[in-house]
Amino acid sequence: MNVMVIPIFADMFKKFGAELPLMTRILLSTSEFFIYQWHYLVIGLSAIIFGTYKYLHTDSGAYNWDKLKLNLPIVGSIFQRSLLSRFSRSFAMMLTAGVPLNSSLSLVAEAVNNRYMAEKIMIMRTNIERGENLSRVAANSGLFTPLVMQMITVGEETGRIDELLTEVGSYYEREVDYDLQNLTAKIEPILISIVAGMVLVLALGIFTPMWDMMGAIKG
């Protein structure tokens, strides 16, 4: 649009020599930048991609990204439930195999593949070593949904944590699969809004001055 479409209208506006509204001037300036200063755009975009790549491969960058993923709109809840499913299955597997609770938490922290969640799990382990019970440290971590908390509490009381967490893992796996299949329906309104915004910008920036020119010619 900036390279092929807007320049055609720009030439037409220059021939008429009419005073253009602000939105039109912004569109024309953006088009000129894309055509004549594109190398700055390429350099800037490359620098942003390279800087982001380097930052995400640092400890703090990877930690912040893993934390941010859980709060992203639309897909954040999918990431969260996927991690909860992985935690529940891994933890249940460790307990079923007879691995001690502290060792199980350490192994699960590595298995979840999320540094933010791994840090919270290691804090849980530290608090358990101080004498607190699993349900209490799990509640204090702020990681788990009410469903997971309920299963941990009931499992701790009945001695069936591994069985109940296996059920939780299966439940969240089904939910994640369902949400992934319906992700397109969730993204569709956003795409429609973006397209509507582009049409609005074109209407204000291109067609409005054309209508004014037509009105002046008829007048």
Side-chain angles (χ1 to χ4, degrees), residues 1 8 24 29 32 55 70 96 117 131 148 169 172 179 198-199:
M1 185 177 67
I8 297 174
T24 305
S29 299
E32 289 180 0
Y55 175 71
L70 303 179
T96 302
M117 191 172 188
V148 178
Y172 278 132
D179 284 345
M198 294 174 62
V199 172

Side-chain angles (χ1 to χ4, degrees), residues 149-161:
M149 286 305 309
Q150 183 179 4
M151 292 299 189
I152 290 176
T153 302
V154 173
E156 198 171 36
E157 294 174 354
T158 60
R160 298 172 53 239
I161 294 182

Side-chain angles (χ1 to χ4, degrees), residues 104-178:
S104 296
L105 289 173
S106 297
L107 294 172
V108 171
E110 298 177 5
V112 294
N113 195 28
N114 184 287
R115 298 194 183 194
Y116 172 74
M117 191 172 188
E119 182 187 66
K120 293 288 187 179
I121 294 173
M122 294 306 295
I123 293 174
M124 288 172 57
R125 173 188 168 172
T126 301
N127 291 335
I128 287 176
E129 290 174 345
R130 292 174 181 171
E132 298 185 38
N133 59 29
L134 179 60
S135 57
R136 181 179 178 85
V137 299
N140 291 336
S141 70
L143 287 175
F144 305 109
T145 60
L147 174 63
V148 178
M149 286 305 309
Q150 183 179 4
M151 292 299 189
I152 290 176
T153 302
V154 173
E156 198 171 36
E157 294 174 354
T158 60
R160 298 172 53 239
I161 294 182
D162 53 345
E163 297 177 21
L164 295 177
L165 285 181
T166 299
E167 293 180 10
V168 171
S170 299
Y171 171 77
Y172 278 132
E173 282 177 0
R174 291 193 299 269
E175 276 208 339
V176 169
D177 289 340
Y178 177 80

Side-chain angles (χ1 to χ4, degrees), residues 3 20 27 64 70 74 78 83 92 129 194 197 208 211:
V3 176
L20 301 176
L27 282 176
N64 290 331
L70 303 179
I74 301 178
I78 298 178
L83 288 173
E129 290 174 345
I194 293 174
T208 300
W211 292 330

